[in-house]
């Protein structure tokens, strides 16, 4: 196992507290492995194996099991004395799982860790089920820094700028970085993750009958990463293909894709009016390889995926991220975390004067003293322009400065 301290250390800070530790994220992003890492940390603290119980609830062994049945199963295996550390992987597979979790917390001396991959593990749902009794951790596929750690362990690495091009194309699902795969082999693995998520977490659970409609909406969203669009624009697109769908159904499908952690919605924020705008949001995909496994890789998609990678990194670091709206145009990202804020523009290259004026000019229109960045992929990316920091995207992803 490659240690992922960005998550393990945060989770361990809540060990032995009266909160359920809830890890959520897209399938195969590494939640189960992180649970094993936390269990190993507990063993290093002297916790005996008999006081650490782990259940993989994705197993056929637990299919159809209710909360009551599972409660009785666990109760009979709890040691009679001392605290038990209980790890429940893919807890959503247990019907009414929240009843079992609440009962474990009430009836026994346990420290509880759970993972989940679908809509019932979203924060809005968990807060209803476990009011005031949980702390949530959003798990993502590998960051660029984590990817480099995997490459050092299992492969051969070049300089970070060269490796970044590979990371952008192969994405961050841990399974495809455990050995050297060809691009086709890697995308086959990720396409299987996509299919299992679509058909298990969305179609089956959401009882969706028109699967082809859902898949067309997925492809439209993937093809428009980094662009603003609305349900109406998707409806119009489908009508052009002689497929009728109403806006409400489109919104429902997009919400289900968010709930399964395939898509992330990014709202626009009016920087002058200081308010969130309710229309023309952008969507980003959970991992670049997810898009490429479905639509195929094309060089003209790189600019949008650069945005996608930066957006996910800001989320990993705990920022709330919006698109900044100015009279002069958009700021790609406005990222806030408590009293901290930063503004980010992402561009592939700056080869013409008008591109420079567009990318830097909008940031210069913001009259505050928070950090401002223009991120690029050309080797001349560096330095400072009128107080705006210029960095290579790879250097930004590896930086501790924000």
């Amino acid at each position: 196992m490659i240690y992922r301290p960005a998550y393990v250390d945060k989770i361990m800070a809540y060990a032995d507290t009266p909160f359920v530790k809830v890890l959520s994220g897209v399938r195969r992003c590494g939640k189960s492995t992180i649970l094993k890492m936390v269990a190993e940390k507990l063993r290093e603290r002297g916790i005996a194996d008999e006081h650490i119980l782990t259940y993989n609830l994705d197993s056929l062994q637990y299919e159809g099991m209710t909360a009551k049945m599972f409660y009785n199963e666990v109760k009979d295996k709890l040691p009679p004395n001392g605290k038990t550390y209980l790890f429940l992987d893919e807890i959503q597979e247990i019907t009414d799982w929240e009843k079992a979790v609440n009962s474990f917390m009430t009836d026994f001396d346990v420290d509880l860790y759970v993972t989940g991959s679908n809509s019932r593990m979203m924060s809005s749902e968990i807060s209803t089920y476990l009011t005031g009794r949980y702390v949530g951790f959003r798990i993502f596929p590998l960051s660029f820094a984590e990817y480099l750690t995997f490459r050092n362990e299992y492969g051969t690495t070049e300089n970070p700028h060269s490796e970044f091009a590979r990371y952008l194309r192969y994405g961050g699902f841990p399974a495809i970085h455990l050995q050297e795969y060809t691009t086709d082999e890697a995308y086959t693995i990720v396409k299987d993750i996509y299919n299992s998520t679509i058909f298990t977490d969305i179609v089956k659970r959401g009882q969706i009958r028109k699967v082809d409609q859902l898949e067309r909406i997925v492809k439209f969203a993937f093809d428009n990463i980094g662009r603003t669009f609305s349900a109406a624009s998707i409806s119009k697109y489908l009508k052009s293909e002689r497929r009728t769908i109403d806006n409400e159904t489109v919104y429902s499908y997009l919400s289900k894709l968010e709930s399964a952690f395939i898509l992330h919605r990014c709202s626009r924020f009016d920087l002058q009016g200081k308010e969130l705008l309710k229309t023309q949001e952008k969507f980003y995909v959970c991992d670049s390889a997810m898009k490429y496994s479905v639509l195929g890789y094309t060089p003209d998609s790189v600019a949008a995926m650069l945005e996608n990678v930066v957006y996910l990194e800001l989320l990993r670091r705990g920022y709330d991220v919006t698109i900044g709206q100015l009279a002069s145009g958009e700021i790609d990202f406005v990222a806030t975390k408590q009293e901290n804020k930063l503004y980010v523009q992402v561009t592939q290259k700056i080869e013409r004067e008008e591109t420079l004026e567009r990318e830097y000019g909008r940031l210069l229109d913001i009259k505050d003293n928070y950090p401002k960045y223009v991120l690029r992929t050309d080797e001349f990316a560096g330095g400072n322009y009128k107080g705006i920091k210029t960095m290579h995207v790879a250097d930004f992803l590896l930086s501790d400065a924000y």
Side-chain angles (χ1 to χ4, degrees):
M1 294 188 297
I2 302 296
Y3 188 55
R4 299 180 72 182
Y7 300 110
V8 177
D9 294 351
K10 288 179 183 177
I11 296 165
M12 286 302 298
Y14 290 90
D16 295 316
T17 63
F19 300 104
V20 182
K21 276 64 75 175
V22 180
L23 285 65
S24 59
V26 70
R27 284 176 178 265
R28 304 290 299 280
C29 67
K31 300 184 297 298
S32 302
T33 304
I34 290 170
L35 277 192
K36 292 176 183 176
M37 293 174 184
V38 172
E40 191 57 39
K41 280 289 183 183
L42 291 171
R43 292 186 181 94
E44 290 174 10
R45 289 186 177 186
I47 306 300
D49 281 344
E50 59 266 28
H51 286 270
I52 298 174
L53 293 182
T54 300
Y55 291 86
N56 174 17
L57 301 171
D58 223 2
S59 168
L60 193 61
Q61 177 182 352
Y62 302 101
E63 185 174 11
M65 188 171 279
T66 65
K68 179 70 172 177
M69 294 163 62
F70 185 59
Y71 175 85
N72 290 330
E73 160 103 6
V74 173
K75 179 180 70 172
D76 292 341
K77 294 184 178 176
L78 292 174
N81 300 305
K83 178 174 286 186
T84 302
Y85 296 82
L86 197 53
F87 294 84
L88 309 179
D89 196 11
E90 300 294 356
I91 187 65
Q92 79 280 346
E93 299 299 331
I94 300 298
T95 304
D96 297 325
W97 61 267
E98 66 279 2
K99 294 179 182 178
V101 167
N102 278 319
S103 295
F104 292 143
M105 296 293 287
T106 301
D107 299 348
F108 307 108
D109 185 10
V110 297
D111 194 23
L112 197 51
Y113 304 78
V114 306
T115 76
S117 303
N118 73 10
S119 59
R120 298 194 73 201
M121 305 307 294
M122 293 287 278
S123 58
S124 58
E125 294 288 325
I126 297 169
S127 62
T128 300
Y129 299 143
L130 307 176
T131 49
R133 306 185 70 180
Y134 81 99
V135 57
F137 302 91
R138 189 70 168 273
I139 311 299
F140 295 89
L142 301 177
S143 68
F144 183 50
E146 290 176 319
Y147 159 85
L148 291 177
T149 302
F150 269 62
R151 290 284 286 163
N152 280 324
E153 182 72 18
Y154 293 109
T156 56
T157 56
E158 301 178 36
N159 68 73
H161 292 187
S162 299
E163 282 291 338
F164 177 69
R166 186 180 187 279
Y167 173 70
L168 193 70
R169 191 160 182 171
Y170 278 70
F173 282 106
I176 66 173
H177 299 298
L178 298 177
Q179 65 181 66
E180 284 287 344
Y181 288 109
T182 66
T183 305
D184 286 345
E185 290 167 343
Y187 290 168
T188 297
I189 294 169
V190 177
K191 185 65 181 292
D192 287 343
I193 298 170
Y194 166 81
N195 285 333
S196 64
T197 304
I198 289 291
F199 292 104
T200 301
D201 293 337
I202 300 179
V203 173
K204 183 179 176 182
R205 294 183 192 282
Q207 298 181 320
I208 291 174
R209 295 188 300 275
K210 296 183 178 180
V211 179
D212 64 319
Q213 273 191 350
L214 172 65
E215 291 202 288
R216 285 175 180 273
I217 288 171
V218 171
K219 289 176 181 178
F220 181 93
F222 283 7
D223 202 35
N224 287 275
I225 294 298
R227 300 176 189 155
T228 56
F229 62 84
S230 63
S233 60
I234 296 179
S235 296
K236 185 177 179 180
Y237 162 74
L238 291 176
K239 283 177 183 176
S240 72
E241 295 196 336
R242 298 181 181 178
R243 295 175 180 271
T244 303
I245 185 170
D246 59 83
N247 291 356
E248 187 174 333
T249 303
V250 172
Y251 273 123
S252 173
Y253 286 169
L254 289 172
S255 294
K256 286 178 169 59
L257 291 163
E258 284 184 87
S259 295
F261 306 106
I262 287 180
L263 290 180
H264 300 275
R265 185 191 305 255
C266 188
S267 300
R268 290 187 304 142
F269 185 78
D270 184 342
L271 292 169
Q272 284 146 335
K274 306 296 183 185
E275 63 177 349
L276 277 175
L277 302 172
K278 301 185 185 302
T279 59
Q280 296 293 310
E281 300 143 317
K282 290 185 182 182
F283 286 84
Y284 294 95
V285 65
C286 63
D287 186 78
S288 55
M290 180 76 79
K291 171 181 174 173
Y292 292 142
S293 72
V294 174
L295 297 184
Y297 174 83
T298 56
D300 61 2
S301 67
V302 169
M305 298 317 294
L306 289 174
E307 274 189 41
N308 204 109
V309 165
V310 172
Y311 173 75
L312 291 178
E313 184 64 23
L314 292 169
L315 292 186
R316 281 189 193 93
R317 298 194 183 205
Y319 285 93
D320 293 319
V321 186
T322 57
I323 304 150
Q325 186 65 48
L326 290 166
S328 56
E330 284 185 354
I331 304 298
D332 288 332
F333 301 121
V334 181
T336 57
K337 181 168 61 176
Q338 298 167 355
E339 73 278 5
N340 299 316
K341 181 186 289 187
L342 56 108
Y343 302 95
V344 181
Q345 288 283 69
V346 185
T347 185
Q348 197 166 355
K349 292 182 180 180
I350 294 181
E351 297 177 325
R352 294 180 296 181
E353 186 68 24
E354 56 263 37
T355 307
L356 185 145
E357 290 176 359
R358 181 181 71 242
E359 301 299 341
Y360 288 90
R362 292 173 189 171
L363 291 173
L364 292 171
D365 286 341
I366 302 171
K367 306 302 181 185
D368 64 30
N369 295 317
Y370 291 110
K372 301 173 179 68
Y373 295 89
V374 170
L375 307 182
R376 299 156 54 177
T377 57
D378 55 278
E379 291 305 317
F380 298 103
N384 193 298
Y385 178 84
K386 297 184 179 180
I388 297 169
K389 299 174 185 177
T390 304
M391 297 180 73
H392 192 285
V393 177
D395 297 332
F396 180 82
L397 298 176
L398 297 174
S399 172
D400 294 326
Y402 63 99

